[in-house]
Amino acid sequence: MESTLYELRARPTSPQSASAAPETSATSAGAAGPAGTVLLVDDDPDFRGMVGTAFTRAGYIVLEAENGNAALAMLADRRVDLVVTDIIMPEADGYEIILRLKQLPSRPPLIAVTGGSLRLRMELPGMARLLGAEAAFEKPLDLAALLAEAGRLIGAGRTETTT
């Protein structure tokens, strides 16, 4: 299945697809509550809306911030299970979020996304991983891959917390 930046397709709900991470996370949340809380940071409201809808449909609670400063302010008094941040933004970019969260003794996993690598002729996702992001994706996003990675990272964080 191929997804573009502003296209969201419904995923099949057949038994064969139940093994995919997003459905598993949402299904396992079921009556027990949400699959997790995700902070989505991007200066593009359309992108936040599209990705937020995908996370919500997969059973997550979604919080949104339009820039890095707003995200860091939210994280000062709120716990989240995952941060998904754009790299290139005004008012504290994704790299600054990664570096600031890295200083915390306990921090949520972080996924960086960018659409600027080709335009800037730089390997932005690789730099994000070097700075401390657990994963990085190029825009346009493969939403299924993003949701699968989110489920994996949140699941791994919960396993570490309970052991």
Side-chain angles (χ1 to χ4, degrees):
M1 175 170 66
E2 192 172 313
S3 298
T4 61
L5 184 58
Y6 297 105
E7 180 179 354
L8 180 64
R9 295 183 186 169
R11 294 177 48 89
T13 55
S14 66
Q16 294 84 2
S17 69
S19 63
E23 283 80 6
T24 302
S25 298
T27 303
S28 64
T37 301
V38 175
L39 174 57
L40 182 57
V41 189
D42 198 298
D43 58 320
D44 180 350
D46 292 331
F47 181 81
R48 286 194 320 266
M50 180 205 54
V51 175
T53 298
F55 272 108
T56 299
R57 287 181 179 173
Y60 295 90
I61 294 171
V62 178
L63 306 173
E64 295 183 19
E66 67 278 358
N67 61 56
N69 286 338
L72 292 167
M74 290 177 81
L75 291 168
D77 63 355
R78 189 170 295 160
R79 185 189 166 304
V80 299
D81 298 299
L82 177 71
V83 175
V84 177
T85 184
D86 189 14
I87 293 175
I88 301 172
M89 296 180 291
E91 299 184 46
D93 62 21
Y95 292 140
E96 188 168 341
I97 293 172
I98 294 168
L99 293 173
R100 295 272 300 276
L101 290 181
K102 197 171 162 179
Q103 297 172 0
L104 301 176
S106 175
R107 72 166 182 89
L110 192 139
I111 298 174
V113 295
T114 186
S117 291
L118 291 176
R119 185 175 65 237
L120 297 175
R121 295 187 178 133
M122 297 174 67
E123 222 296 296
L124 301 177
M127 179 62 74
R129 284 189 295 277
L130 286 173
L131 292 174
E134 281 74 15
F137 291 89
E138 285 280 353
K139 294 177 184 177
L141 286 178
D142 176 340
L143 288 173
L146 176 66
L147 289 169
E149 185 64 10
R152 185 189 73 75
L153 290 171
I154 290 172
R158 287 184 177 158
T159 301
E160 290 174 11
T161 304
T162 60
T163 56

